[in-house]
Amino acid sequence: MADQHIDPSGSTQAFRAFANAREQEAAAKPKKSPLIPIIAVVVVIAIIGVAAFLLLQ
């Protein structure tokens, strides 16, 4: 037998709880620091500079 009375607020509350949980999860994630790519670029430039210096001697 199907339920004749469907509570529309039940699905709305479930959706709001889901949406709020996603927002809190996104806010809790730490932001990635650009420190590693910057260090990698500096190291690559230093290696290229040393290689160029040794080739031009």
Side-chain angles (χ1 to χ4, degrees):
M1 228 180 197
D3 188 12
Q4 297 297 325
H5 177 67
I6 298 174
D7 182 18
S9 66
S11 61
T12 303
Q13 289 173 349
F15 175 74
R16 285 184 180 164
F18 170 75
N20 288 338
R22 297 284 297 195
E23 288 174 0
Q24 290 173 356
E25 180 181 307
K29 289 183 181 178
K31 303 291 182 194
K32 290 187 178 182
S33 174
L35 185 63
I36 293 174
I38 291 172
I39 292 173
V41 169
V42 169
V43 169
V44 168
I45 291 172
I47 291 172
I48 291 171
V50 169
F53 176 76
L54 292 175
L55 288 173
L56 294 175
Q57 274 190 342

